Amino acid sequence: MKAGIVGLPNVGKSTLFNCLSNAKAQSANFPFCTIEPNIGVVNVPDPRLEKLEELVNPERVMPATVEIVDIAGLVKGASKGEGLGNQFLANIRETDAILHVLRCFDNDNIVHVDGNVNPIRDKETIDMELQLKDLETVDKKLEKVKRAAKTGNKEAQKEEATLLKIKTALEAGVSVRAIEFEDDEFEEFVGPSQFITAKPVMYVCNVDEGAANSGNAYVDLVKEAVKDENAEVLVLAVGTEADINELDDFEERKMFLQDIGLEEPGASKLIRSAYKLLNQQTYFTAGVKEVRAWTIDIGATGPQAAGVIHTDFEKGFIRAEVIGYDDFVTYGSEAKVKEAGKMRVEGKNYVVKDGDVMHFLFNV
């Protein structure tokens, strides 16, 4: 699963991406690797993993990861190929969620592509370009579907009605994610079409150091503008995060954060939020060889969770032994949890909870 960082040029996207790539600013268990120049795999900071490590004392620890993509800055006309428009839109289509960076700070030394700082206008510029691209997708699909609908094909008529609903919304400046669909309608016609504006979005307000803790007037404007979008707004002083990255000493970094009123780097919050935005959650396996966080979709069943380890585990799933994370911590070990009668045995229909510590029994 990938989250793409988008925004206009010079809003702090690449600085943010580089912050995530620099392990010094995070806890020791926060490595990063680059697959391509603009794709990074970042570990999801999770204090529960550290606690399990402390209790189990394993040979190694494997955290959950999320892929972050730094996408070239978008400009007006991108939907028609202006700037790096075509590349931008191809890259963003491959992501599963959008981290939209908005410039919410004044600095005369950093040129704004449109002459002055206005995060709402910037947001609307990008929204419009993405909506125009989706409109192009809808029109192409409608051309094909209309022919089949005219012959009386019921499925084609249903798809045509859905596409027309999307077209009307996009022409009114409404993103696909804001349209209400029936479940089967979304599954059959919307999801497979990979509309860019259907992807979940989080707004990252890039502020100066003084606003890192409580935001500023620009942030208030953004929060008001997106209040009906059901989207998270995260306040991050990206330049300050970059400065923290320059410090080699962990204690110095801690003090720097305390000075500006933060308990942890904003990048850690961003990664956790991106993980949730991607509809992901974590379960753990905990043994002396390895304590590991496994990534699954929210709502995954026991067999689906087992399949993340190996497809054979899913095919031959018999049952799962499950310990709630809090019980594991309370009793301190698997053996003591068993003694206390707190280990559960769950079957194929069990919906895994975030933080479950699991052991699978299977037979192939």
Side-chain angles (χ1 to χ4, degrees):
M1 300 291 277
K2 292 179 191 171
I5 302 176
V6 308
L8 293 175
N10 292 348
V11 295
K13 297 185 313 303
S14 293
T15 308
L16 174 60
F17 183 78
N18 293 337
C19 279
L20 301 178
S21 75
N22 192 326
K24 289 192 297 185
Q26 332 305 341
S27 65
N29 291 332
F30 204 127
F32 169 106
C33 70
T34 302
I35 303 170
E36 290 171 26
N38 67 337
I39 300 179
V41 178
V42 188
N43 284 3
V44 179
D46 192 334
R48 296 174 302 181
L49 197 63
E50 289 161 33
K51 186 67 185 171
L52 289 171
E53 180 184 8
E54 193 185 298
L55 293 171
V56 178
N57 194 24
E59 288 173 23
R60 66 174 188 163
V61 178
M62 297 291 287
T65 61
V66 63
E67 273 190 29
I68 303 289
V69 187
D70 180 23
I71 293 169
L74 178 143
V75 293
K76 270 181 195 160
S79 56
K80 301 279 179 254
E82 291 293 325
L84 290 168
N86 292 329
Q87 184 189 328
F88 173 99
L89 293 158
N91 287 346
I92 199 170
R93 204 180 285 284
E94 288 171 16
T95 64
D96 303 286
I98 296 170
L99 309 177
H100 188 158
V101 182
L102 295 166
R103 177 171 167 178
C104 293
F105 65 90
D106 293 304
N107 184 335
D108 294 339
N109 296 322
I110 300 172
V111 178
H112 189 289
V113 71
D114 286 327
N116 65 327
V117 177
N118 183 335
I120 306 307
R121 177 200 57 214
D122 295 356
K123 173 193 174 306
E124 285 168 356
T125 297
I126 287 200
D127 282 351
M128 188 175 73
E129 293 303 327
L130 300 185
Q131 287 161 3
L132 285 168
K133 200 66 189 173
D134 277 351
L135 202 49
E136 207 178 280
T137 304
V138 169
D139 286 337
K140 278 181 190 165
K141 282 186 167 292
L142 270 170
E143 265 177 53
K144 290 179 187 170
V145 171
K146 274 181 174 171
R147 286 195 290 273
K150 276 177 186 165
T151 66
N153 181 314
K154 291 276 187 285
E155 196 67 9
Q157 288 170 348
K158 202 173 163 190
E159 184 171 5
E160 183 185 26
T162 303
L163 291 171
L164 286 170
K165 180 172 22 174
I166 293 169
K167 183 177 167 73
T168 304
L170 289 169
E171 285 174 342
V174 176
S175 292
V176 177
R177 75 178 75 85
I179 305 169
E180 282 189 27
F181 296 102
E182 301 294 329
D183 285 349
D184 61 335
E185 202 180 12
F186 189 89
E187 226 166 90
E188 285 178 52
F189 311 124
V190 186
S193 300
Q194 284 194 298
F195 292 112
I196 299 170
T197 66
K199 297 176 193 295
V201 65
M202 173 168 67
Y203 295 97
V204 182
C205 293
N206 183 10
V207 299
D208 52 27
E209 189 178 310
N213 205 8
S214 51
N216 57 24
Y218 290 131
V219 174
D220 294 340
L221 287 171
V222 172
K223 285 180 175 173
E224 178 60 27
V226 307
K227 67 177 191 291
D228 297 329
E229 287 190 35
N230 192 26
E232 186 179 350
V233 176
L234 197 71
V235 178
L236 207 62
V238 176
T240 305
E241 298 270 335
D243 291 341
I244 294 170
N245 277 354
E246 295 301 314
L247 301 171
D248 289 316
D249 183 70
F250 178 75
E251 288 305 317
E252 277 184 35
R253 295 197 297 277
K254 215 171 171 182
M255 279 168 65
F256 195 141
L257 284 166
Q258 283 168 352
D259 285 348
I260 57 173
L262 298 176
E263 287 177 21
E264 64 173 348
S268 297
K269 276 187 201 161
L270 176 74
I271 294 301
R272 281 199 298 273
S273 297
Y275 193 66
K276 279 186 190 157
L277 191 67
L278 290 162
N279 198 41
Q280 304 286 280
Q281 66 178 15
T282 301
Y283 78 85
F284 301 102
T285 50
V288 287
K289 286 274 182 205
E290 178 183 86
V291 164
R292 183 167 186 153
W294 298 90
T295 300
I296 52 169
D297 289 341
I298 292 170
T301 60
Q304 288 168 332
V308 173
I309 299 176
H310 198 287
T311 50
D312 285 351
F313 282 29
E314 183 170 3
K315 284 178 199 159
F317 180 92
I318 300 169
R319 63 182 183 274
E321 295 174 345
V322 183
I323 302 170
Y325 170 78
D326 290 338
D327 285 336
F328 201 105
V329 172
T330 301
Y331 294 98
S333 74
E334 188 178 312
K336 285 181 180 167
V337 170
K338 278 182 180 170
E339 275 173 36
K342 291 288 185 181
M343 179 185 275
R344 307 190 311 276
V345 174
E346 301 287 1
K348 289 182 178 179
N349 296 326
Y350 175 65
V351 176
V352 179
K353 294 180 179 66
D354 187 53
D356 277 350
V357 181
M358 304 185 78
H359 175 69
F360 300 104
L361 285 89
F362 69 103
N363 181 31
V364 177

